[in-house]
Amino acid sequence: MNKTVSKQPVFRFAPSPNGQLHLGHALSAILNHDMAKAERGRFLLRIEDIDIARSTPDFEAGIVEDLEWLGLDWEKPARRQSEHLDLYRQALGKLIDRDLVYPAFLTRGAIKTAVGEFEAKGKTWPRDPDGAPLYPGEERKLSADARQRALASGKPHAWRLDMTKALAHATEPLTWQESGSGPDGETGVTAANPAAWGDVVLSRSDAPSSYHLAVTLDDALQGVSHVVRGHDLFHATSVHRLLQSLLDLPQPAYHHHRLILGPDGRKLSKSNRDTGIAAFRQAGKTPDDIRTMIL
Ligand code: GLU
């Protein structure tokens, strides 16, 4: 793939249709839209609906309605990830061929039990930046034969990146240009630390791609030059930089913005209808009121 990013800046807002847009999403969408306009760039909408169990057409329609009401315009049609599953499968296939991923069979419950048993001895199991335990399974060590037999058993499995091997194959310095800031004020040239995530999931038994794989591929395919999103995804950028290096994809510039907190000081949640954009609209607020509240 051509590693130079096209000259005209490309921005995108990439919501998952598993709830209503709240003020935090509005901030992300408006920043992307306004930065694209200011730089005479393109503004794309991408519907990240690979989690089919939680994504619904009603939520997607609500997102479109809210964004239109906010006065944002994006290039049509929006890209819908569920329509490109083969592409994610192909990229995973390349990583399988290079032996950089392995099938992992522990269910969520089994992971919890393994970690719980370890921690019952008074020790702490390492956690990723989102607070989830690193994968305790050991299938990365299986011989090729044993792996084939495990796959042939038909047991559901995820594919996980073998982080140690992957880091050994990364071909460039894993840094990124941060023009916003991370949760601890990180800014400028930022060193990625993918190892903090352990063997991340790239595909699940019920979805051919994880967020990390799909977002990295789509940003590259859509020529996204600027990724503008909330602090909560700052650390995920480390995984995205590693995948870009492994899959020979261009690297965008990144801008992580503050999160909008609720009156209780916590991150807004999609299930809290009171802070939904639709609720503000129904209460008679205008798009300008929303801008005044968040910008
Ligand atoms: N789909 C992700 C979310 O709604 C955002 C992805 C991104 O901006 O990189 O949290």
Side-chain angles (χ1 to χ4, degrees):
M1 174 170 299
N2 180 356
K3 291 192 87 181
T4 51
V5 174
S6 67
K7 277 232 182 73
Q8 193 184 13
V10 181
F11 293 77
R12 70 2 177 230
F13 175 57
S16 304
N18 55 19
Q20 298 192 337
L21 291 193
H22 55 55
L23 288 177
H25 298 109
L27 176 62
S28 242
I30 290 173
L31 283 178
N32 272 289
H33 170 268
D34 290 4
M35 285 164 113
K37 282 272 169 317
E39 300 202 26
R40 293 174 193 272
R42 300 167 56 204
F43 174 53
L44 313 178
L45 172 66
R46 185 167 72 228
I47 302 294
E48 301 214 322
D49 59 350
I50 32 177
D51 183 352
I52 35 172
R54 294 171 63 219
S55 302
T56 72
D58 280 357
F59 283 134
E60 184 182 323
I63 289 172
V64 167
E65 193 180 348
D66 289 348
L67 295 176
E68 281 175 348
W69 177 75
L70 285 169
L72 309 186
D73 51 337
W74 58 92
E75 285 181 21
K76 314 283 185 312
R79 182 180 176 89
R80 203 178 279 124
Q81 289 190 322
S82 59
E83 291 169 0
H84 300 277
L85 301 184
D86 269 353
L87 193 107
Y88 313 133
R89 274 192 201 102
Q90 276 166 28
L92 180 71
K94 282 191 203 160
L95 297 173
I96 295 175
D97 292 346
R98 290 167 66 195
D99 200 25
L100 295 178
V101 289
Y102 63 88
F105 293 86
L106 293 191
T107 58
R108 283 206 180 98
I111 294 174
K112 214 171 154 196
T113 307
V115 171
E117 281 169 5
F118 181 89
E119 295 196 328
K121 297 178 204 138
K123 293 184 275 184
T124 312
W125 186 259
R127 300 271 192 298
D128 71 20
D130 282 349
L134 300 197
Y135 187 60
E138 305 243 300
E139 299 97 326
R140 75 180 77 74
K141 297 183 190 157
L142 289 182
S143 67
D145 274 1
R147 188 173 288 179
Q148 276 320 317
R149 277 198 303 277
L151 283 172
S153 75
K155 243 171 85 176
H157 61 273
W159 285 92
R160 287 183 177 266
L161 190 65
D162 184 328
M163 186 53 78
T164 308
K165 269 193 198 164
L167 285 171
H169 280 74
T171 52
E172 50 190 319
L174 291 179
T175 58
W176 76 85
Q177 188 62 42
E178 174 65 52
S179 63
S181 62
D184 295 315
E186 305 92 329
T187 194
V189 177
T190 303
N193 180 19
W197 291 91
D199 293 353
V200 282
V201 172
L202 295 190
S203 115
R204 299 185 183 283
S205 53
D206 56 358
S209 177
S210 69
Y211 156 67
H212 294 306
L213 184 61
V215 84
T216 307
L217 287 166
D218 279 350
D219 282 340
L221 267 152
Q222 294 191 286
V224 171
S225 57
H226 293 73
V227 172
V228 178
R229 60 188 176 193
H231 276 167
D232 50 341
L233 292 169
F234 177 83
H235 291 296
T237 310
S238 288
V239 177
H240 306 165
R241 285 291 300 115
L242 176 59
L243 291 174
Q244 284 155 5
S245 172
L246 295 175
L247 294 167
D248 200 23
L249 305 173
Q251 68 164 294
Y254 289 88
H255 181 104
H256 292 89
H257 60 75
R258 70 192 170 89
L259 299 179
I260 303 223
L261 304 177
D264 55 359
R266 297 180 52 183
K267 202 179 128 178
L268 296 180
S269 119
K270 281 186 172 166
S271 51
N272 185 349
R273 285 168 186 268
D274 300 343
T275 52
I277 302 304
F280 286 114
R281 182 168 68 237
Q282 279 144 24
K285 298 273 186 219
T286 67
D288 276 345
D289 293 335
I290 303 286
R291 280 181 174 264
T292 310
M293 284 161 78
I294 56 180
L295 289 180

